[in-house]
Amino acid sequence: MNRTPVVVGNWKMHGSRAANASLISGVLSGVAPRGQRSAEVVVCPPFVYLADLATMLEQAGVGLGAQDVCTEAGQGAFTGEVSAPMLRDVGCTHVIIGHSERRAYYAETDEGVGRKTLAALSAALTPIICVGELLEERDAGLTYEVVGRQLEAVLRALEADPIGLSGLNRCIVAYEPVWAIGTGRTATPEQAQDVHAFIRGLIQSRDARIGGSVRVLYGGSVKPGNARELFGMPDVDGGLIGGASLKAEDFVAIVAATQ
Ligand code: PGA
C-alpha cells in the first residue's frame, strides 16, 4: 500500500504576525516546490492567524489546519466557538481534533471527538484525529485499551452517521503518546510501530481497504534527529510536530526525513 506521508506542524498557542511571517517564509523556502515534495505539508497556527496565512499557503500547496473545531456544524449561540464551515470559509483544509491537551485541559471527551470529526468531514475539512495514552496508562499495560477506546468512539460516530465508515478515507489519525509530548522523551520506533499497527489493524477489522490506506502519523518529541527512524517504520506515515514546527529549519528537516 502506497501512502503519501504527511507532516503537520502544530504551533499550539505560539506565534505573532511578525513571527509567523518569518516562520512561514523559512518553511516555504526550505521545502521542495509543490509537486516535488516527498510529503504533504500542513501547518496549524492559532485560530486568529488562519485567515492571514491562507492565500500564501494555498499558493505554495501547503495545507492550513486549525487546532480545534466546534462540535456544532451550523451557526448559533455557542460563544467562543468556531465552526467547521467557518474554518473552511477562511481557507482551512485540515483540523486537529482531540489533541491530548484539549482532552486534558478542556474536558474534551471521546464522544466529542467523534462529533467534531463529523462536523469537520461535513465541511470538507480533513480531520487529524489524535489518540494516545498517558504514562500511567502505558505503565499499567493499558495502551491498546485506551487508544482502542478513543478510536472506537470515532468509528462509532462515523458508522452511526450517513457519512459512514468510508469517511475515514478522508481522515488522518495521529498517535501521540501523552508522555512523549513536549517532554523530549520520544517513543522508540518499535513502540510507535506497535501502536500504529494496532490502530491500522483495528480499522482493518472493520474495513480492510480503508485500514490499509488511512494515514497514521506519530507525534511526540519528533525532531530532525529522530524523524527518519520513526518515519521508516512500516505503519508510520509521517508526523504531527509540536515544538520542532516552530523552527523553520527543524520543520523542513523533518519534512525531508520522509524521503
Ligand atoms: P511535540 O508536540 O512535538 O512538542 O512533542 C507534539 C504535539 O503535541 O502535537
Side-chain angles (χ1 to χ4, degrees):
M1 177 66 62
N2 225 347
R3 296 181 297 264
T4 307
V6 196
V7 177
V8 181
N10 174 13
W11 293 6
K12 310 193 180 186
M13 198 169 74
H14 293 282
S16 64
R17 282 188 153 156
N20 301 347
S22 83
L23 176 53
I24 289 291
S25 78
V27 169
L28 296 187
S29 61
V31 295
R34 69 187 303 171
Q36 294 171 36
R37 283 177 207 142
S38 54
E40 284 174 28
V41 181
V42 181
V43 296
C44 304
F47 282 126
V48 291
Y49 300 121
L50 291 167
D52 271 358
L53 302 173
T55 308
M56 199 193 315
L57 293 175
E58 214 249 310
Q59 282 165 358
V62 169
L64 175 65
Q67 298 173 14
D68 188 24
V69 65
C70 185
T71 50
E72 305 299 321
Q75 314 238 337
F78 301 102
T79 303
E81 289 293 295
V82 177
S83 75
M86 290 172 186
L87 294 177
R88 187 74 198 162
D89 191 34
V90 298
C92 285
T93 51
H94 293 68
V95 57
I96 297 171
I97 295 178
H99 189 279
S100 64
E101 286 149 21
R102 306 265 353 142
R103 293 178 190 260
Y105 310 143
Y106 302 98
E108 189 130 314
T109 61
D110 294 339
E111 192 256 336
V113 172
R115 291 174 64 204
K116 289 181 178 192
T117 302
L118 297 178
L121 288 172
S122 303
L125 293 168
T126 301
I128 302 163
I129 302 157
C130 301
V131 295
E133 81 287 0
L134 305 171
L135 184 57
E136 51 270 35
E137 292 167 336
R138 172 161 286 260
D139 288 345
L142 296 173
T143 299
Y144 295 149
E145 192 174 320
V146 171
V147 170
R149 190 200 71 222
Q150 293 170 339
L151 191 59
E152 281 287 352
V154 174
L155 302 183
R156 268 200 311 278
L158 286 166
E159 284 166 343
D161 190 86
I163 292 176
L165 194 69
S166 68
L168 215 50
N169 281 320
R170 297 187 280 131
C171 296
I172 294 170
V173 178
Y175 169 56
E176 297 206 310
V178 179
W179 46 272
I181 295 178
T183 57
R185 184 178 161 192
T186 322
T188 64
E190 293 71 26
Q191 284 173 322
Q193 168 58 27
D194 277 353
V195 183
H196 282 231
F198 168 77
I199 290 170
R200 193 177 302 291
L202 187 66
I203 300 171
Q204 273 170 331
S205 70
R206 301 284 239 281
D207 185 303
R209 202 185 49 78
I210 299 175
S213 60
V214 72
R215 278 138 350 142
V216 185
L217 313 186
Y218 169 78
S221 300
V222 179
K223 306 285 177 222
N226 59 25
R228 195 172 292 279
E229 233 191 333
L230 287 159
F231 299 166
M233 301 313 279
D235 288 299
V236 178
D237 304 310
L240 178 52
I241 318 302
S245 73
L246 298 171
K247 274 202 209 141
E249 200 186 322
D250 287 359
F251 189 62
V252 163
I254 292 169
V255 173
T258 58
Q259 254 157 6

